[in-house]
C-alpha cells in the first residue's frame, strides 16, 4: 500500500507541466534515435549528460526514461519496415515483422508491436512499482562482502551473456576494469596509470569511453563497409490495420512476453536479447499457426516486442535498488546518477523519493505518449530514414565532439576518443561485445572499494568474502552463470 | 564460412591484450607498498586486472591457434561480409583524429566542419564545398546552442582570440 501512496505522489511530480514537457521531449528524441541507425539510447543519454548538468535531476531522469522507452518503439519500426534491427532486442521482430510488411501487413505489425510495447511496458512498470521498494529494503542488509559478490555476479553475467564468446566477453570486461583504475586512488591518494598527465588524474570519464566506443567505433566500422545502395523501405500504404483475428492472436503473446521480459531484464544477467528470443520460441511452440512462422506470424512480433519493452523496465530494478547496471544504457544512467551526486540503492528511495517515484510515474506517462506518438505518426518517423547517410554519420561525429569536448575541454579526451574509437572498430570487426567495457569501467571502482572495505573488516583475510550466506549465494550464482551459455546454445539449436 | 575463405589468424589481437595486461601489471607493481587499508595495496587491484588480461590474451592466442572464427558484427547500413574499404576507413579515422590537431588552435566550429567533411567523404559524398558549408553550419549551430545551454566548448576561433 505504501508503494501505491508513493506512486500517487510520484504522479504529482510527473504530471507537472514542466516534467510532462521533459517526458515528451525524451519520447520524441527516443523514437527518433530508435529509428535512426548508428545512435542508440546509451549514446544519446551520454551525449546529453553535459547539457543536463543545468537541469534538475528529476526532470533529466524523466527525459532519460522517455529516451529509453522511446528507443524501443523506434527500433521496432525500423525492424518491421526495413529489416534492420537497430539492436539485438529487435532481432526477432525483424524476423516476422518484416515478412508481414512485405506482404502488405506492415500496419498490423506496427500496431501489434506498439500496442504490445504499451501493454508490456505498463505491466512491467507496475511490477517495478511494487517490487523495487521491496528489493531496496533487502539491500539495506548488504555488507561490503555482499556488494563485492554482487559485482562479481554482474561481471560474469555481462561477460558471458552479451556476445558470442566468453573469452572475448571477459577481455572486454577487463579492458573496462583497466580503464577504471586510471586516476587517483581514493584511499591512498596515489596516482595510478596517469602516465604523468594531469588530465588523467581525475580518471577516464564514462562519457568519453561510451561515445568513443559507440559513435566513433560505429562510424569507422560502417564507413569501411558502407553499402551505398539506398535501403528499401516497405510501403505502408494499402495495408490493413489489425483485424479482429489479429487482436485475438496478439493479446496472449503480449501478456506472456511481459511476463518473460520483466524478470529476466531484472536479473543481473539481464539484457533484452534473451527474453525476446525466449518469447519468440515460446510463441512458436504455442501457436496454432505454426506454418506462418518464418513467413510473417503476428505472434512472432507481438510476443518479442512485449518482452523487449518489459525487459527494459526490468533493467531499472537492479539499477535503482542496488546501483547495478546490466546494460550499456543502465551504465550511463548510473553515471548520470553519480553526476548528480546521487547513489542509486536503498537510500535513493529514502532520500530522493520525489525523484524515484516521479521517474517511475513518468514511465506510465511516457508509455502513453509513445503509443500516441508512434501509432498515427509512424509515416513521419520513417521519413527520418531519408537523411543521406554521409550527413547522418558526419552529424553523429559532430555531436560526439560536443559530448567529448564538452566534458572538460581536454585534449587528452580527444586523444582517448581516437584511441578508444579505434578500439571500438577492432571490437566490431572481431566481434567483441561492447557493453562489458562500460560495466567494467563504471562498476570496477565500486567493486574495488567494496573489496578493500571487506578485506579491511576481515583484517586482510580473504575468507571474509565468503562470510555471509548472501555473499556465498551470489558467488555461487556468479560461477553458475559461467555455464549458462552452454544452456542457451542448447535452447537455440532446439528452436 | 571457413570452408571457402582461409582462416583468419589475427595473432596481434592476442598480443595486444597481453601487452596491455603487462603494462597494467608493471604499473601496478611500481606503486608504493603503503596504502590506506590494511591488507590491500593501491597497486593490488591494478595487478589483478593486468594478470587477468595477460591470461585472457594467452587464451585468445590459443583460440586463434585453433582457428576460432571471428565474424564481424552486424550494423545498419553495413555489410559485415563485405571487403572493407581501407580508403574509407582512413578518411573516417582522419575525421576522428583531426580534432587533435585543430581543436585548440581553430576552435569547435571549424574543427566540426573539417571532421564532418572528412566523414562525409569517407561515406562517398564528393561535394566538398557543400559538405564543408553544412559542416560549418552544424558546427556553429552546435557551438552556439550548447554554449548557451551551459556546455563549455571553448572559444569560437581561439587563434584569433575569439
Amino acid at each position: 500500500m505504501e508503494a501505491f501512496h508513493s506512486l500517487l505522489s510520484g504522479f504529482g511530480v510527473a504530471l507537472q507541466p514542466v516534467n510532462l514537457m521533459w517526458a515528451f521531449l525524451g519520447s520524441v528524441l527516443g523514437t527518433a534515435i530508435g529509428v535512426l541507425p548508428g545512435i542508440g539510447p546509451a549514446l544519446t543519454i551520454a551525449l546529453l549528460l553535459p547539457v543536463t548538468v543545468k537541469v534538475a535531476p528529476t526532470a533529466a531522469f524523466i527525459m532519460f526514461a522517455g529516451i529509453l522507452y522511446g528507443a524501443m518503439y523506434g527500433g521496432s519500426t525500423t525492424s518491421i519496415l526495413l529489416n534492420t534491427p537497430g539492436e539485438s532486442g529487435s532481432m526477432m521482430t525483424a524476423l516476422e515483422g518484416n515478412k508481414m510488411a512485405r506482404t502488405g501487413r506492415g500496419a498490423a505489425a506496427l500496431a501489434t508491436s506498439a500496442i504490445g510495447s504499451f501493454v508490456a511496458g505498463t505491466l512491467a512498470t507496475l511490477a517495478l512499482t511494487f517490487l523495487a521498494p521491496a528489493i531496496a529494503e533487502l539491500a539495506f542488509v548488504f555488507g561490503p562482502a555482499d556488494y563485492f559478490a554482487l559485482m562479481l555476479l554482474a561481471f560474469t553475467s555481462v561477460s558471458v551473456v552479451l556476445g558470442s564468446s566468453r573469452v572475448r566477453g571477459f577481455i572486454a570486461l577487463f579492458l573496462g576494469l583497466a580503464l577504471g583504475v586510471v586516476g587517483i586512488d581514493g584511499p591512498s591518494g596515489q596516482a595510478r596509470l596517469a602516465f604523468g598527465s594531469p588530465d588523467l588524474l581525475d580518471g577516464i570519464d564514462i562519457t568519453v569511453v561510451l561515445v568513443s566506443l559507440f559513435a566513433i567505433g560505429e562510424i569507422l566500422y560502417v564507413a569501411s563497409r558502407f553499402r551505398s545502395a539506398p535501403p528499401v523501405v516497405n510501403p505502408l500504404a494499402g495495408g490493413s490495420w489489425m483485424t479482429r483475428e489479429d487482436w485475438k492472436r496478439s493479446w496472449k503473446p503480449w501478456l506472456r512476453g511481459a511476463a518473460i521480459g520483466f524478470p529476466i531484464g531484472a536479473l543481473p544477467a539481464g539484457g533484452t536479447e534473451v527474453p525476446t528470443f525466449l518469447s519468440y520460441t515460446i510463441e512458436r511452440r504455442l501457436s496454432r499457426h505454426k506454418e506462418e512462422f518464418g513467413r510473417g506470424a503476428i505472434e512472432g512480433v507481438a510476443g518479442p516486442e512485449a518482452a523487449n519493452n518489459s525487459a527494459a523496465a526490468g533493467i531499472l530494478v537492479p539499477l535503482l535498488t542496488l546501483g547495478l547496471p546490466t546494460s550499456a544504457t543502465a551504465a550511463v544512467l548510473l553515471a548520470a546518477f553519480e553526476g548528480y551526486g546521487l547513489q542509486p540503492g536503498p537510500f535513493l528511495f529514502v532520500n530522493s523519493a520525489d525523484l524515484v517515484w516521479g521517474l517511475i510515474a513518468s514511465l506510465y506517462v511516457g508509455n502513453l505518449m509513445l503509443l500516441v506518438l508512434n501509432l498515427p505518426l509512424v509515416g513521419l518517423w520513417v521519413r527520418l530514414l531519408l537523411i543521406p547517410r554521409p550527413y547522418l554519420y558526419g552529424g553523429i561525429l559532430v555531436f560526439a565532439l560536443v559530448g567529448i569536448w564538452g566534458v572538460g575541454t581536454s585534449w587528452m579526451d580527444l586523444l582517448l576518443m581516437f584511441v578508444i574509437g579505434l578500439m571500438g572498430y577492432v571490437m566490431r570487426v572481431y566481434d567483441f561485445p561492447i557493453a562489458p567495457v562500460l560495466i567494467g569501467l563504471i562498476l570496477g571502482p565500486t567493486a574495488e572499494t567494496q573489496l578493500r572495505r571487506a578485506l579491511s573488516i576481515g583484517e586482510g583475510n580473504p575468507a571474509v568474502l565468503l562470510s555471509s550466506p548472501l555473499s556465498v549465494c551470489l558467488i555461487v550464482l556468479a560461477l553458475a552463470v559461467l555455464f549458462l551459455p552452454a544452456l542457451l546454445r542448447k535452447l537455440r539449436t532446439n528452436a | 564460412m571457413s570452408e571457402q575463405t582461409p582462416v583468419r589468424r589475427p595473432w596481434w589481437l592476442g598480443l595486444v591484450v597481453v601487452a596491455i595486461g603487462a603494462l597494467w601489471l608493471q604499473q601496478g607493481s611500481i606503486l608504493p607498498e603503503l596504502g590506506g587499508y590494511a591488507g590491500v595495496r593501491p597497486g593490488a587491484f591494478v595487478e589483478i586486472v593486468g594478470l587477468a588480461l595477460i591470461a585472457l590474451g594467452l587464451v585468445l592466442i590459443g583460440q586463434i591457434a585453433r582457428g576460432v572464427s571471428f565474424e564481424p558484427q552486424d550494423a545498419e547500413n553495413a555489410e559485415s561480409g563485405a571487403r572493407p574499404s581501407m580508403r574509407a576507413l582512413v578518411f573516417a579515422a582522419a575525421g576522428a583524429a583531426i580534432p587533435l590537431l585543430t581543436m585548440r588552435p581553430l576552435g569547435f566550429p571549424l574543427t566540426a566542419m573539417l571532421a564532418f567533411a572528412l566523414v562525409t567523404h569517407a561515406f562517398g559524398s564528393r561535394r566538398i564545398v557543400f559538405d564543408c558549408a553544412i559542416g560549418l553550419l552544424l558546427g556553429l549551430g552546435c557551438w552556439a546552442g550548447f554554449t548557451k545551454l551551459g556546455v563549455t566548448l571553448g572559444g569560437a576561433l581561439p587563434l584569433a582570440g575569439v
Side-chain angles (χ1 to χ4, degrees):
Chain A
M1 237 25 232
E2 204 187 321
F4 187 68
H5 232 79
S6 313
L7 184 65
L8 275 186
S9 68
F11 271 109
V13 176
L15 290 176
Q16 287 166 12
V18 185
N19 288 337
L20 279 177
M21 192 269 293
W22 285 110
F24 181 74
L25 190 66
S27 305
V28 171
L29 215 59
T31 311
I33 56 129
V35 172
L36 286 174
I39 323 174
L43 181 60
T44 310
I45 296 173
L47 289 176
L48 285 170
L49 283 184
V51 183
T52 47
V53 172
K54 294 277 163 75
V55 180
T58 310
F61 280 103
I62 285 176
M63 178 169 71
F64 293 159
I67 292 173
L68 178 68
Y69 273 21
M72 298 281 165
Y73 280 79
S76 48
T77 305
T78 48
S79 320
I80 291 169
L81 295 183
L82 259 167
N83 198 18
T84 49
E87 31 120 30
S88 50
S90 343
M91 230 149 57
M92 293 299 150
T93 312
L95 218 59
E96 298 298 327
N98 191 254
K99 297 271 162 50
M100 282 180 76
R102 277 190 205 167
T103 51
R105 305 271 295 125
L110 285 169
T112 194
S113 120
I115 300 169
S117 297
F118 171 74
V119 170
T122 307
L123 286 175
T125 311
L126 209 66
L128 172 71
T129 307
F130 293 98
L131 192 66
I135 294 182
E137 208 57 40
L138 199 77
F140 273 118
V141 303
F142 271 50
D146 306 315
Y147 265 116
F148 180 70
L150 186 67
M151 309 261 155
L152 280 187
L153 174 59
F155 288 155
T156 54
S157 43
V158 292
S159 312
V160 168
V161 175
L162 306 170
S164 54
S165 145
R166 265 182 283 184
V167 174
R168 278 172 261 173
F170 273 108
I171 289 175
L173 171 75
F174 276 94
L175 286 175
L177 290 172
L179 292 173
V181 296
V182 172
I184 296 223
D185 169 46
S188 68
Q190 293 289 333
R192 299 195 297 190
L193 288 122
F195 303 104
S197 159
D199 283 343
L200 285 178
L201 289 179
D202 285 338
I204 297 177
D205 198 281
I206 187 171
T207 305
V208 175
V209 178
L210 195 144
V211 172
S212 309
L213 284 177
F214 278 103
I216 310 297
E218 179 90 358
I219 291 169
L220 297 180
Y221 183 66
V222 178
S224 71
R225 287 159 174 77
F226 185 49
R227 179 178 54 203
S228 48
V232 188
V233 181
N234 288 302
L236 261 182
S240 58
W241 216 66
M242 282 176 76
T243 59
R244 242 185 113 80
E245 170 78 4
D246 289 335
W247 280 95
K248 244 173 81 187
R249 287 175 59 179
S250 287
W251 71 273
K252 277 186 203 156
W254 289 340
L255 296 184
R256 281 192 290 259
I260 295 167
F262 182 77
I264 299 183
L267 287 176
T272 50
E273 196 189 332
V274 180
T276 45
F277 180 79
L278 219 68
S279 161
Y280 182 81
T281 315
I282 290 176
E283 293 315 327
R284 193 178 175 157
R285 289 252 165 90
L286 293 178
S287 172
R288 287 203 203 117
H289 307 266
K290 285 195 183 64
E291 72 289 347
E292 279 181 32
F293 271 80
R295 274 183 246 143
I298 197 163
E299 292 94 338
V301 180
E305 268 310 301
N308 192 1
N309 265 53
S310 171
I315 286 168
L316 290 174
V317 173
L319 179 68
L320 291 176
T321 56
L322 303 169
L324 198 69
T326 53
S327 70
T329 315
V332 68
L333 283 175
L334 181 61
F337 274 111
E338 289 176 354
Y340 282 111
L342 299 166
Q343 182 59 53
F347 291 103
L348 192 70
F349 281 79
V350 181
N351 298 337
S352 314
D354 261 14
L355 189 153
V356 175
W357 291 105
L359 173 67
I360 292 175
S362 81
L363 292 176
Y364 294 94
V365 179
N367 247 316
L368 196 63
M369 277 183 183
L370 281 164
L371 188 65
V372 176
L373 270 175
N374 274 270
L375 269 189
L377 298 180
V378 68
L380 210 70
W381 294 114
V382 174
R383 275 171 199 278
L384 277 178
L385 292 168
L386 298 177
I387 298 177
R389 292 301 174 257
Y391 298 132
L392 176 69
Y393 286 95
I396 293 175
L397 179 58
V398 172
F399 281 106
L401 281 173
V402 172
I404 286 178
W405 190 239
V407 167
T409 54
S410 146
W411 187 81
M412 180 54 81
D413 285 344
L414 293 177
L415 181 64
L416 286 170
M417 171 183 104
F418 181 66
V419 175
I420 299 176
L422 282 183
M423 185 172 118
Y425 170 76
V426 171
M427 290 178 79
R428 282 175 172 76
V429 174
Y430 293 98
D431 198 14
F432 286 76
I434 289 174
V437 181
L438 301 164
I439 308 270
L441 173 67
I442 194 150
L443 279 190
T446 322
E448 186 186 0
T449 310
Q450 300 291 359
L451 175 66
R452 284 162 123 182
R453 250 183 228 162
L455 285 176
S456 70
I457 290 171
E459 291 171 349
N461 182 358
V464 72
L465 297 176
L466 294 167
S467 59
S468 85
L470 193 57
S471 68
V472 174
C473 276
L474 289 168
I475 285 179
V476 168
L477 267 178
L479 291 175
V481 163
L482 282 172
F483 302 100
L484 201 72
L487 204 96
L488 277 179
R489 232 172 285 134
K490 214 171 167 188
L491 265 174
R492 231 165 256 193
T493 44
N494 286 351
Chain B
M1 279 290 284
S2 55
E3 277 156 49
Q4 296 103 25
T5 50
V7 183
R8 284 199 291 175
R9 292 196 196 276
W11 299 107
W12 63 273
L13 211 57
L15 293 175
V16 167
V17 176
V18 172
I20 296 173
L23 178 65
W24 255 250
L25 180 63
Q26 183 265 337
Q27 290 284 316
S29 66
I30 56 170
L31 281 166
E33 284 291 321
L34 288 169
Y37 284 125
V40 188
R41 302 183 304 112
F45 198 74
V46 184
E47 285 170 7
I48 295 172
V49 172
L51 281 174
L53 278 173
I54 293 175
L56 286 164
L58 292 176
V59 175
L60 187 65
I61 291 176
Q63 288 191 338
I64 293 167
R66 285 202 307 276
V68 78
S69 73
F70 291 89
E71 282 169 36
Q73 287 169 12
D74 285 321
E76 281 179 74
N77 302 315
E79 275 177 303
S80 53
R83 266 180 71 87
S85 152
M86 278 324 274
R87 200 186 125 80
L89 179 62
V90 166
F91 268 98
I98 198 86
L100 288 168
L101 296 175
T102 61
M103 190 63 99
R104 280 192 295 198
L106 297 182
F108 187 86
L110 283 176
T111 301
M113 175 188 91
L114 293 170
F116 184 86
L118 282 165
V119 169
T120 51
H121 191 85
F123 277 88
S125 172
R126 291 292 173 268
R127 294 181 291 180
I128 293 175
V129 178
F130 182 74
D131 290 353
C132 283
I134 300 230
L136 187 62
L137 277 178
L138 190 63
L140 276 172
C142 280
W143 181 81
F146 283 102
T147 305
K148 209 169 173 181
L149 283 170
V151 182
T152 328
L153 291 176
L157 189 56
L159 204 63
V162 188

